[in-house]
Amino acid sequence: MDEEAIPVLHVENASAAVAWYARLGFAEQWEHRFEPGLPAFVEVARGAVRLFLSEHRGDARPGTLIYLRVRDVDAVAAEFGVPPVSAPWAREIELQDPDGNRLRVGTPVS
């Protein structure tokens, strides 16, 4: 097993969040609820990158910022209709999911 760190993001509606993250190329891996009607805890993945999306109160703070390195930030920028910005370290965009979590997405400059 490879070791990894998986960010946990708070979401109000896991189904809506999964649909939004699908636009970033993430696919739902699994969903857990202790019982029907209780909050959902979902894993989404884009290749080896994984995120946990949690409806549970206290699991994460709204407004969290995560950084995603991708091969082609221009494709992601086109999907969301935002222009990339060039920095000395990467071409980047910043997005905000429906729950206020911030995602900085970049392709490193070679």
Side-chain angles (χ1 to χ4, degrees):
M1 179 193 109
D2 292 331
E3 294 181 346
E4 63 184 319
I6 304 174
V8 178
L9 300 175
H10 178 75
V11 298
E12 288 294 324
N13 180 314
S15 296
V18 167
W20 190 87
Y21 280 89
R23 293 180 62 199
L24 273 172
F26 284 85
E28 183 177 336
Q29 303 301 294
W30 50 262
E31 176 182 308
H32 172 73
R33 294 176 190 265
F34 286 103
E35 291 182 20
L38 290 181
F41 193 90
V42 180
E43 179 182 306
V44 294
R46 174 187 166 132
V49 177
R50 299 176 185 287
L51 299 173
F52 289 153
L53 307 176
S54 177
E55 292 178 348
H56 294 267
R57 296 278 178 234
D59 271 359
R61 296 168 56 166
T64 296
L65 171 64
I66 62 171
Y67 193 97
L68 298 174
R69 275 196 184 134
V70 298
R71 287 185 184 89
D72 186 3
V73 72
D74 293 304
V76 177
E79 170 64 27
F80 286 89
V82 296
V85 175
S86 292
W89 54 87
R91 285 178 49 74
E92 298 178 329
I93 60 171
E94 187 159 317
L95 302 172
Q96 190 169 38
D97 77 9
D99 296 290
N101 296 300
R102 297 177 307 136
L103 294 92
R104 201 163 292 145
V105 183
T107 298
V109 176
S110 12

